[in-house]
Amino acid sequence: MESKISIFLPTYNLCNLLVLVFFCFAACPSLGRLSFNFYATSCPAAELMVSNTVRAASSNDPTIPGKLLRLLFHDCFVEGCDASVLLQGNGTERSDPANTSLGGSSVIDSAKRVLEIFCPGTVSCADIIALAARDAVAIQAGGPAFQIPTGRKDGRISNSVNVRPNIVDTSFTMDEMIKLFNSKGLSLDDLVTLSGAHTIGLAHCSAFSDRLVDTSLDITYAKELSKKCPAGGSSTSNTVSNDPETSFAFDNQYYGNLLAHKGLFQSDSVLLEDGRTRKQVEEFANNEERFFRSWGESFLKLTTIEVKTDNEGEIRQSCSFTN
């Protein structure tokens, strides 16, 4: 199997590393504003501190990796990757109903407290979110490991009105998802790849209640969901695993589930039904290495959406409030 970049020590051979870096600069417009090993001088152990925090939290709660991935998506798709989703207060992104169930912020806060002790005013909350999501997938869930650039600044603006127009609703059609992803500089390939995040994590019954009566869903799977989600799936407290087969492993099982008509959300099932994406679903279902390689590329693009650098942002002392 092709070697992968580890979190702290690159294990790609030189050719593969050069290809990855070239891809990044070609596909991530904001990457030139960030850099690999950004904290090498100012806080050499920054990534290790984040990694250790994620490892400790995930060991106590195996749902943490899925929560951190979802937190990253909701941050980067609204105002860019600037930790605006963490700001508290009336009318902030965090106050929108779509974000009230977000988890993982306590892990970010824990990492920030440690970093402020050893490297005060140095590491942004935005970088911590990106690093934590990457590490949660690689360390705890068994997914691919790779380097990502850092140097993001924290945003000062967070408005709840910006949330709904900028995040994927589980009932979205393919065209609606393509339009949203394209607006973030993400391609159709990125859409299929990043949807693979649903190979881990949990979903509230109310988020897929429409699927319980969807005849395209595997009958046995639909019955299992109905048992876990009584009252027509209207419960906002009951949850089920996004991936019924390997719930806490970051693998390619999600795509196998789609082929078996066990996609939990409507936005999952359309990936199989639409001719524009079915081939990639089939390829990922049959080739985990291909999915992992694509995940690394798409994750890099995701984490560089509309990043803020220099005077465009700040390094918050607390992730919940601006300075």
Side-chain angles (χ1 to χ4, degrees):
M1 182 173 179
E2 185 180 48
S3 59
K4 301 189 286 288
I5 295 180
S6 68
I7 295 174
F8 303 113
L9 297 175
T11 57
Y12 262 125
N13 62 45
L14 180 59
C15 290
N16 284 342
L17 183 57
L18 289 175
V19 168
L20 179 62
V21 172
F22 175 79
F23 165 83
C24 292
F25 278 100
C28 313
S30 299
L31 182 59
R33 309 174 67 191
L34 305 175
S35 61
F36 292 94
N37 299 315
F38 180 84
Y39 299 109
T41 301
S42 60
C43 189
E47 295 196 25
L48 179 60
M49 292 183 210
V50 174
S51 174
N52 286 342
T53 303
V54 170
R55 181 182 285 106
S58 300
S59 296
N60 292 326
D61 180 0
T63 69
I64 287 296
K67 291 176 179 177
L68 289 173
L69 263 187
R70 185 168 178 245
L71 184 66
L72 174 70
F73 274 85
H74 280 236
D75 182 41
C76 292
F77 266 58
V78 184
E79 295 288 345
C81 304
D82 66 350
S84 56
V85 73
L86 296 179
L87 290 174
Q88 293 185 8
N90 294 330
T92 61
E93 293 171 30
R94 198 164 177 172
S95 68
D96 186 90
N99 285 335
T100 54
S101 63
L102 282 179
S105 60
S106 61
V107 181
I108 307 302
D109 291 338
S110 294
K112 179 63 171 174
R113 283 193 294 270
V114 174
L115 287 162
E116 284 300 303
I117 293 173
F118 293 97
C119 309
T122 303
V123 182
S124 69
C125 301
D127 274 344
I128 296 173
I129 292 176
L131 291 169
R134 176 202 67 176
D135 292 350
V137 166
I139 298 172
Q140 289 303 127
F146 46 84
Q147 290 182 321
I148 61 171
T150 44
R152 300 164 187 79
K153 288 291 184 69
D154 298 321
R156 302 185 180 94
I157 299 173
S158 181
N159 293 321
S160 60
V161 294
N162 295 331
V163 175
R164 294 308 177 95
N166 287 289
I167 60 173
V168 174
D169 187 272
T170 57
S171 64
F172 268 15
T173 64
M174 178 60 71
D175 288 337
E176 287 173 320
M177 288 196 292
I178 290 175
K179 181 179 179 180
L180 179 57
F181 271 67
N182 285 347
S183 73
K184 308 301 176 184
L186 300 172
S187 67
L188 186 61
D189 285 349
D190 295 322
L191 192 165
V192 179
T193 300
L194 293 173
S195 293
H198 285 169
T199 191
I200 57 176
L202 302 174
H204 290 85
C205 292
S206 56
F208 58 87
S209 57
D210 58 319
R211 295 284 283 157
L212 299 179
V213 293
D214 190 334
T215 56
S216 68
L217 195 64
D218 177 80
I219 296 177
T220 302
Y221 183 46
K223 290 180 179 179
E224 292 174 358
L225 291 176
S226 295
K227 291 179 181 178
K228 296 178 180 179
C229 299
S234 60
S235 172
T236 57
S237 58
N238 291 10
T239 60
V240 301
S241 297
N242 291 336
D243 177 354
E245 305 298 332
T246 54
S247 305
F248 300 114
F250 192 92
D251 53 23
N252 66 336
Q253 182 61 49
Y254 165 78
Y255 300 99
N257 294 340
L258 296 185
L259 294 181
H261 299 283
K262 294 182 180 180
L264 185 60
F265 303 119
Q266 174 62 26
S267 55
D268 292 325
S269 65
V270 295
L271 298 178
L272 177 67
E273 297 165 359
D274 196 291
R276 291 169 289 185
T277 51
R278 182 184 180 97
K279 183 177 180 180
Q280 192 173 352
V281 168
E282 293 173 339
E283 181 180 357
F284 285 167
N286 293 314
N287 189 334
E288 184 173 81
E289 181 181 353
R290 175 70 184 89
F291 166 52
F292 279 6
R293 186 165 59 248
S294 186
W295 174 264
E297 296 168 355
S298 295
F299 188 89
L300 283 169
K301 293 175 68 175
L302 169 67
T303 55
T304 55
I305 294 175
E306 299 175 31
V307 296
K308 296 171 178 61
T309 57
D310 302 323
N311 295 328
E312 296 171 341
E314 62 184 10
I315 304 295
R316 291 183 209 146
Q317 294 179 344
S318 167
C319 293
S320 298
F321 304 98
T322 58
N323 294 340

